[in-house]
Amino acid sequence: GAGVSQSPSNKVTEKGKDVELRCDPISGHTALYWYRQSLGQGLEFLIYFQGNSAPDKSGLPSDRFSAERTGGSVSTLTIQRTQQEDSAVYLCASSLSGGAEYEQYFGPGTRLTVT
Amino acid sequence: AQKVTQAQTEISVVEKEDVTLDCVYETRDTTYYLFWYKQPPSGELVFLIRRNSFDEQNEISGRYSWNFQKSTSSFNFTITASQVVDSAVYFCALSPLGTGFQKLVFGTGTRLLVSP
């Protein structure tokens, strides 16, 4: 079946602009995660959604970052007023449920470059 | 606080050599999960193994084996008879059970280069 998909695969934006990154999880997966992979910080957790519950936003680095998940499926990560330090690969993952015993399936990522 | 250390930044081996990737973790939680992921050049993280902190049995899956030692807080990964297709970045990760979900804390990764 189809895996996790993310779009766009690459995004170049000017400093100060807003960007939206999209994630389509595996059908039937109720848990969705966003991570950021950068040279300086490695792989870091950003936000977690489980079904229709309030998300865990404990990993978001600043209030310029936000995410939503519509209808318990597709998720959008929005970065406002982008800065050069936001340049990174943004990875999305989904799992059958949020419990620690469920494997996370990762998408190919969106490479964001802020110029 | 949780921390995962992968001290080996890059390892180069020749095909058919055995190689061990080290992982040391820190956590105050008594229950947690440990993971290994592979990130090939295509970029997608691929799940390899999950180990519960209660289970210290070593595991073998084909050419892959894992050695979990709670006494030294280590979860090392060995590839036997390495192949060129094993070339990738390998990440060790930790998830405490108390957060209510799988909140992965990753190490910085070890890049493995297997040459023919």
Side-chain angles (χ1 to χ4, degrees), chain A residues 55-71:
Chain A
D56 184 301
K57 306 179 185 179
S58 59
L60 294 179
S62 78
D63 57 10
R64 294 186 297 104
F65 287 72
S66 63
E68 62 176 23
R69 189 177 183 195
T70 51

Side-chain angles (χ1 to χ4, degrees), chain A residues 4 33 35 37 41-45 48 56 58-59 91 98-109, chain B residues 33 35 37 39 42-47 50 89 91 95-97 99-108:
Chain A
V4 177
Y33 303 78
Y35 294 87
Q37 185 172 23
Q41 302 296 324
L43 258 165
E44 8 164 39
F45 163 81
Y48 159 76
D56 184 301
S58 59
L91 295 167
E101 67 271 27
Y102 293 99
E103 177 185 343
Q104 291 186 34
Y105 294 83
F106 283 79
Chain B
Y33 278 102
F35 304 79
Y37 281 86
Q39 188 175 41
S42 61
E44 292 186 38
L45 280 160
V46 177
F47 168 84
R50 176 184 59 247
V89 180
F91 291 94
S95 175
L97 288 179
T99 58
F101 64 97
Q102 197 181 93
K103 188 172 182 178
L104 294 172
V105 174
F106 287 92
T108 50

